[in-house]
Amino acid sequence: MNYLRRLKQSGEFEYSLGANADEIKHIEDELGILLPEVYVDFLSECGSCNYGDVYINGIYKEEGSISYPVVTLTKQLREDLHLSEDFIVLHYEVDEFLTLYKVSNRIRLKDAKVFGAEVCCNDKGIFEIYKPTPMFDSFDAYFEDFLALGEEEE
């Protein structure tokens, strides 16, 4: 799929500069995982994207600066909410909902399922992640749903 072309065709999406191989390797090294091929393609084309306050996290690059929101959020939620190392965080509605992408630390998957998980406060006042449930069979299906968000607004 040509992610960047699709973003340019479909509404008022914002996106970053594409990532290079070293930047993608940095994500994998920081998180101790191998990113699925489809997500690597997405990162290479547009780094990350958003429509309003809905994001698909990745690498955010502007001329002269770079940040890795997918690394920052994933590490934070691994620590704070004990997120499984089998996932990276594509989107986080703070203290409400996570959109997660299945990854592996042993093999590079072609693609994987995208999961959703509620974040709720338990009876002890501690936030926790409820069991992730499959939302989309592939990253591309998730991306198409993301694009539909912008098309609804037009």
Side-chain angles (χ1 to χ4, degrees):
M1 176 180 293
N2 187 323
Y3 299 102
L4 189 55
R5 181 178 55 79
R6 294 297 310 277
L7 287 169
K8 288 178 179 180
Q9 287 176 341
S10 301
E12 298 295 317
F13 293 95
E14 295 179 19
Y15 49 88
S16 179
L17 298 172
N20 64 39
D22 289 338
E23 294 160 346
I24 291 167
K25 180 153 177 32
H26 176 79
I27 293 173
E28 293 179 331
D29 290 346
E30 285 291 310
L31 296 176
I33 50 99
L34 295 169
L35 296 169
E37 291 175 22
V38 171
Y39 186 65
V40 168
D41 292 343
F42 167 79
L43 293 173
S44 299
E45 289 184 36
C46 52
S48 62
C49 61
N50 69 287
Y51 183 83
D53 62 353
V54 179
Y55 289 81
I56 298 178
N57 285 309
I59 295 173
Y60 185 75
K61 289 171 52 172
E62 289 184 315
E63 290 184 31
S65 71
I66 184 169
S67 64
Y68 296 86
V70 70
V71 172
T72 303
L73 277 170
T74 300
K75 281 184 164 184
Q76 176 189 348
L77 296 177
R78 282 179 179 176
E79 184 177 318
D80 295 350
L81 300 177
H82 310 289
L83 176 67
S84 166
E85 293 189 6
D86 293 336
F87 295 108
I88 59 171
V89 180
L90 294 177
H91 181 74
Y92 181 35
E93 293 175 38
V94 178
D95 298 338
E96 291 184 25
F97 192 79
L98 285 167
T99 305
L100 306 167
Y101 192 39
K102 186 83 168 157
V103 295
S104 172
N105 64 359
R106 296 180 315 278
I107 59 169
R108 183 172 311 278
L109 303 169
K110 172 99 176 108
D111 197 359
K113 290 185 178 189
V114 175
F115 289 74
E118 288 188 41
V119 177
C120 296
C121 192
N122 66 21
D123 58 356
K124 296 178 183 171
I126 299 170
F127 282 95
E128 61 186 15
I129 299 171
Y130 286 12
K131 182 179 178 183
T133 57
M135 289 176 34
F136 300 97
D137 287 334
S138 67
F139 181 82
D140 285 350
Y142 170 65
F143 186 80
E144 290 293 336
D145 187 72
F146 175 79
L147 290 176
L149 174 70
E151 292 166 356
E152 289 172 7
E153 299 293 322
E154 292 180 352

